[in-house]
């Protein structure tokens, strides 16, 4: 089949949507399909199917795609936990699609019951061969997330004020998408020597930082099923995660590494526990280890081809 893969994340962008689009295009091509990746649908009678990432932001392409052809819409975190509840365009995209993809199983609960029959779960994967080798001199925490409100990106910096004297360093990777948050990151580095914000870095470099860290913090307010969590699981890095459905859907309800959303004191307590209690840290390691198979590329490829009926 000839497939139009539409994503609002254009070439050169270093975000989860772009990584997902390129990875899915690779899976579809490996299965024998022809895939055209673009940010907007351009009418082409040769195209047999569309796979669109983002119900709201790709709505113009979704609504313009010819009826009678296969239309699959993949829902992002902002789709699932905000847009489909607020945006008429996002809701129309749900209706137009023959199939819907979500990135973790709890996301389907946000959809009206009558639409859940369309839903298929595709957990994202990572092909990295890096193994977890944390640095020895300090307890390193990696934060990977662009500076935008949905990520609550300054929460780990705020937690450091509740960890005086702790031998901890925080390495923060992410593009400055919000000027106010950028100013907070710059001010944070000036006052807190244990915090470094490195801005946007190439994906391979970000993975090396992740592999060298003792733990990764994901403090997001909403996630569809974060690619960076899947990468941490693949490498074997314990995740300290905000207690939101997107993280619970990937890590499981019994995972020990959650903290309450927007609560830097709770995050600080969790960091102190992980850094100072070898038994607790070992428990986190043992809980992420069996999840590695869930984020293997072959598993994602099988789920994608099944979800898209290809």
């Amino acid at each position: 089949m000839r497939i139009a893969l539409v994503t609002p994340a254009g070439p050169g962008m270093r975000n989860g949507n772009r990584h997902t689009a390129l990875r899915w295009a690779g899976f579809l091509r490996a299965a024998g399909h022809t895939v055209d990746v673009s940010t907007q649908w351009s009418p082409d009678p040769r195209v047999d199917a569309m796979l669109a990432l983002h119900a709201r932001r790709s709505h113009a392409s979704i609504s313009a795609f010819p009826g009678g052809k296969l239309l699959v819409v993949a829902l992002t975190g902002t789709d699932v936990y905000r847009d489909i509840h607020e945006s008429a365009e996002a809701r129309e995209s749900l209706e137009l699609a023959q199939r819907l993809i979500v990135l973790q199983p709890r996301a389907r609960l946000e959809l009206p019951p009558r639409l859940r029959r369309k839903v298929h779960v595709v957990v994202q994967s990572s092909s990295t061969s890096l193994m977890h080798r944390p640095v020895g001199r300090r307890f390193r925490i990696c934060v990977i997330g662009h500076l935008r409100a949905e990520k609550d990106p300054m929460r780990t910096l705020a937690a450091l004020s509740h960890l005086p004297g702790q031998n901890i360093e925080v390495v923060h990777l992410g593009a400055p998408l919000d000027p106010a948050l950028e100013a907070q990151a710059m001010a944070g580095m000036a006052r807190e020597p244990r915090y470094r914000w490195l801005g946007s870095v190439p994906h391979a470099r970000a993975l090396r930082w992740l592999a060298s860290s003792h733990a990764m913090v994901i403090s997001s307010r909403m996630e569809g099923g974060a690619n960076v969590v899947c990468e941490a699981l693949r490498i074997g890095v314990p995740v300290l995660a905000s207690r939101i459905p997107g993280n619970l859907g990937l890590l499981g309800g019994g995972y020990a590494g959650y903290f309450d959303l927007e609560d830097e004191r709770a995050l600080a307590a969790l960091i102190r526990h992980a850094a100072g209690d070898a038994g607790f840290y070992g428990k986190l390691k043992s809980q992420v280890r069996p999840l590695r198979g869930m984020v293997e590329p072959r598993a994602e490829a099988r789920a994608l081809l099944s979800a898209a009926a290809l």
Side-chain angles (χ1 to χ4, degrees), residues 12-26:
M13 293 188 70
R14 293 172 179 164
N15 63 18
N17 284 345
R18 188 66 187 178
H19 291 312
T20 300
L22 295 179
R23 195 173 60 253
W24 285 4

Side-chain angles (χ1 to χ4, degrees), residues 230-255:
C230 298
E231 290 169 336
L233 296 178
R234 180 71 175 173
I235 294 170
V237 181
V239 180
L240 308 182
S242 53
R243 192 184 298 276
I244 59 171
N247 291 334
L248 287 159
L250 289 177
L251 296 167
Y255 183 65

